[in-house]
Amino acid sequence: MSEQHNQHSLVHANIDADDIGHNTSNNPSFDQILAVRLSRRGLLKGGFSLMAASVLGAGLVACGDDDNSSNNNNNDNNNTNPTSLSFTPVAKSLADALVIPTGYTATVLYAVGDPLNNNIAAYKNDGTDTDFDYRAGDHHDGMYYFGLDTSTNKYAASNADAGLLCMNHENMTQIFLHTASEAATARTAAQVDKEIAVHGVSVVDIRKSGTTFQVNKASAFNRRITAATTVDMSGPAAGDDMLFTKYSPTGLQTRGTLNNCANGYTPWGTYLTCEENWAGYFKTNTASLADGKEKTSRNRYGVAATDGSYGWANAMPADDKCARWNITATGASAADDYRNAANTFGWVVEIDPFDATSMPKKRTALGRFAHEGCWPAKAVAGKPLVFYMGDDSRNEYIYKFVSDALWDAADVGKGVAAGDKYLNAGKLYVAKFNADGTGSWVQLTLSNTSIATYTTYTFADEADVLINARLAADAVGATKMDRPEWGAVNPVTGEIYMTLTNSVSSSSGRGVKTALDAANPRYYADTKGTATNKGNVNGHIIRWRETGDNHAATSFQWDVFLFGAQADADSNINLSGLTADNDFSSPDGLWFSQASQGLLWVQTDDGFYTDTTNCMMLAAIPGKVGDGGTKSVVNKAVPTNANADQTVTTYMGKTLATTQLARFLVGPSGCEITGIAETPDGKALFVNIQHPGEDTTSLTDPAAFQSHWPNGGTARPRSATVVITRNDGNKVAV
């Protein structure tokens, strides 16, 4: 073992590798297509303000005029499509506080270390806490609210007063989980056990109390699923020999779910959590592998020769829970070691929040990659179910899954048994975006000659296609995208939106190695401090409409909804005409309100505009695909064009007024704004503030921490879920 990982370092390189490209195929990029016609997340600095400062130790900053006097056209149970926003936009902020509009209140609901039952002590937040199997994990991310019928303890989608909040815990801010004295000690199994437990998922029973919510710690529903929980493998790849491990020699189970980023839900009432940047956790000597399928697969997924980002495999005293992170072949066969452990990650995982005894299931029919999320289209009786997915890494692809089974509302409430019906058999597609504003879905199957005859990798069977979905997508010439992250389906129009966070790299970023195209049309230089970043620095949001409004269709029409940019940027960069009230960079989280139909929320995870503002959340009222026009974008000194100017024509959505796109929230220092859910009546909004203060490098001087949110003073910062409500009791934002 290397000296670096033999010692416990409280600060590691960012394990989220979504800004690292592993796609060496010659497939066209979205930018190349646009050129014919016509980006782990950077750290976002945020300012967060919070009400009840006497309790929480931090101030709430409310900005602008009271929205009670503003136009509100969507109150109570009126689900008409909103036409304008009802709040005054908040200003950009670098404060270590949560900034929200005047007329709103934000309260902390569930923060790192909070107990899930009455038997666990209150969180000390000094590095000595344990029992994370029964506490809130770290790095709160994607989440969903499931209404709860308290008389039957069953799923009740319309209940706005009691529900089960399912939430991802993507990663950890390691320095704040341990004591300062642990910084000089070798990796121990106890330390690693704690870190494994802060990953995963929470299921939390929450009840409305007065105007906000509280965790019901007496509830039997409360539980944690961690990176050590036993999970079933299901679907076409379950039992395949590429999933055999010492833990499960038959390839039918694995331990844990890891690096859970965005999420999804099912129409029958279960939660979908998605495994994103799992590749960096494993120890291996991939560089010594002989050329062949295994090496090709590992390289394509970014499983590199390393001790693992957190050195979990090196913990002493050694035990199997730590050894399983070493995927070097040491035994006579795959059943004798953990060489295949990485193949058991990178999946969509289904969890039944209403059955605390049920085992999560990894749904292999939906393919293996860096899953950012899994978002359903509206379920229609007698039609297949459709789920959209993004692979969050530079130059990766957009996918969708179409079930073989046709939807039957009688399956509501049937848990993972319904998942067996709808998620274990279907068609997996990858997207191609054409230069003329059209697109197509290509099925990933051995019956496709391009996959069956692919010379870079020989697929053994359909299970191999799913386990190595990235390679199958390469084979069919899918379109490279600028880090596809969150998606969302408009409940009014059925159109699908997806964030393309950014693509910046001196070696493989947009316009550098990956040429410009219609869907990714910008290459420009952006200066932050002494650094100059080049490529698609601020990202954009793409959207498409399936042919015939049929989500199972294999063709679509697309345009770009919004381009991120600072307001004072050149018109070839600020293509969407953003102003000081709504300019943003690196869109990430994306979510449509069901209660306020047509209201879209956009969250940012940025490292390029954070000298001006912390990460933020905006509200938008979008139009429809094709409501804009075309735009000729002039790019200067594009490397893929021999440093010459290059003009690219792109398809754009209409420019939105401030009443249609406005900044609603800015977070505390060092945070990312990610994860969003609402009560069915739209009157309570749940938002996650992830890793405030993550750039802190030492515990020596608490006054020097990058953030102290949410407790204030000299406290260690904590990721947390906040509940935002409107003081007049009406729906949020409209």
Side-chain angles (χ1 to χ4, degrees), residues 299-312:
N299 287 341
R300 186 63 183 85
Y301 281 87
V303 182
T306 177
D307 271 359
S309 297
Y310 293 125
W312 287 352

Side-chain angles (χ1 to χ4, degrees), residues 639-684:
T640 51
N641 198 31
N643 288 313
D645 292 354
Q646 184 174 349
T647 299
V648 179
T649 300
T650 188
Y651 303 90
M652 296 182 56
K654 66 180 181 181
T655 299
L656 301 180
T658 302
T659 55
Q660 297 169 309
L661 175 66
R663 189 178 302 108
F664 181 82
L665 174 155
V666 182
S669 301
C671 84
E672 169 187 344
I673 305 299
T674 183
I676 183 169
E678 70 177 352
T679 50
D681 59 7
K683 297 180 180 181

Side-chain angles (χ1 to χ4, degrees), residues 27 46 71 93 105 127 130 145 176 185 230 373 375 384 488 515 619 625 691 704 731:
N27 291 357
N71 175 42
S93 171
T105 298
T130 56
Y145 175 96
F176 294 126
T185 65
T230 300
W375 301 277
V625 171
H691 62 62
K731 288 184 180 182

Side-chain angles (χ1 to χ4, degrees), residues 299-551:
N299 287 341
R300 186 63 183 85
Y301 281 87
V303 182
T306 177
D307 271 359
S309 297
Y310 293 125
W312 287 352
N314 297 334
M316 300 297 290
D319 63 15
D320 194 58
K321 194 165 16 174
C322 298
R324 71 189 178 99
W325 301 102
N326 186 345
I327 60 174
T328 303
T330 58
S333 72
D336 301 315
D337 54 39
Y338 289 101
R339 68 185 71 177
N340 287 334
N343 292 342
T344 69
F345 291 89
W347 304 101
V348 174
V349 188
E350 184 182 14
I351 297 170
D352 184 358
F354 296 93
D355 183 359
T357 66
S358 67
M359 189 173 294
K361 292 193 174 187
K362 299 198 178 187
R363 301 297 185 182
T364 64
L366 280 69
R368 172 176 165 265
F369 40 89
H371 276 278
E372 181 75 13
C374 186
W375 301 277
K378 182 179 180 180
V380 178
K383 300 291 185 180
L385 297 178
V386 179
F387 295 84
Y388 294 92
M389 300 169 286
D391 185 351
D392 181 12
S393 192
R394 189 188 311 125
N395 296 329
E396 292 303 339
Y397 308 125
I398 294 173
Y399 300 80
K400 81 172 176 181
F401 173 81
V402 180
S403 69
D404 285 348
L406 306 182
W407 173 239
D408 183 351
D411 289 323
V412 172
K414 292 185 178 179
V416 293
D420 292 339
K421 175 179 177 180
Y422 296 105
L423 298 179
N424 279 351
K427 297 178 179 66
L428 181 65
Y429 295 91
V430 69
K432 283 186 175 183
F433 292 81
N434 301 322
D436 61 357
T438 65
S440 61
W441 293 104
V442 183
Q443 187 179 354
L444 301 183
T445 172
L446 271 177
S447 63
N448 186 311
T449 303
S450 296
I451 295 176
T453 61
Y454 192 45
T455 58
T456 300
Y457 183 91
T458 302
F459 294 93
D461 49 30
E462 298 290 357
D464 198 351
V465 171
L466 295 170
I467 293 169
N468 288 287
R470 278 184 173 178
L471 285 161
D474 292 346
V476 302
T479 304
K480 294 179 180 179
M481 308 296 285
D482 286 351
R483 291 184 52 197
E485 297 218 36
W486 286 55
V489 181
N490 190 325
V492 176
T493 66
E495 295 179 350
I496 306 92
Y497 290 62
M498 188 162 287
T499 54
L500 303 175
T501 296
N502 53 50
S503 182
V504 178
S505 171
S506 61
S507 61
S508 62
R510 186 61 63 182
V512 181
K513 180 179 179 181
T514 310
L516 300 174
D517 61 33
N520 304 272
R522 294 184 302 171
Y523 171 87
Y524 53 97
D526 180 88
T527 300
K528 176 186 175 186
T530 60
T532 298
N533 302 288
K534 297 180 179 180
N536 178 15
V537 183
N538 303 122
H540 55 288
I541 302 171
I542 197 165
R543 63 184 175 182
W544 63 92
R545 186 172 196 141
E546 302 281 19
T547 299
D549 293 323
N550 174 13
H551 288 99

Side-chain angles (χ1 to χ4, degrees), residues 48-62 97-101 103-112 114 140 143 165 167 206-215 664-665 668 675 677 679 683-689 709-711 718-727 732:
F48 174 91
S49 63
L50 189 63
M51 292 296 270
S54 61
V55 176
L56 299 168
L60 168 69
V61 180
L98 177 64
V99 184
I100 59 175
Y104 288 83
T105 298
T107 55
V108 170
L109 173 68
Y110 186 62
V112 172
D114 280 354
H140 300 38
M143 59 183 165
L165 191 64
M167 179 188 312
I206 61 173
R207 307 292 174 96
K208 191 170 184 179
S209 176
T211 59
T212 188
F213 282 80
Q214 294 181 349
V215 174
F664 181 82
L665 174 155
T679 50
K683 297 180 180 181
L685 193 68
F686 305 93
V687 178
N688 282 330
I689 312 300
W709 188 88
N711 299 107
R718 301 159 71 187
S719 294
T721 304
V722 297
V723 188
I724 300 175
T725 54
R726 185 165 160 165
N727 295 349
V732 174

Side-chain angles (χ1 to χ4, degrees), residues 47 61 63-64 88-94 99-101 580-583 612-614 616 663-667:
V61 180
C63 301
T88 301
V90 301
K92 286 167 285 199
S93 171
L94 290 171
V99 184
I100 59 175
D581 289 331
N582 56 27
D583 60 341
T612 299
T613 182
N614 298 334
M616 65 184 69
R663 189 178 302 108
F664 181 82
L665 174 155
V666 182

Side-chain angles (χ1 to χ4, degrees), residues 23-44:
N23 189 347
T24 59
S25 74
N26 292 321
N27 291 357
S29 67
F30 206 36
D31 289 341
Q32 288 169 308
I33 291 165
L34 282 178
V36 175
R37 270 285 300 187
L38 136 263
S39 57
R40 167 186 167 205
R41 324 178 175 240
L43 297 179
L44 174 64

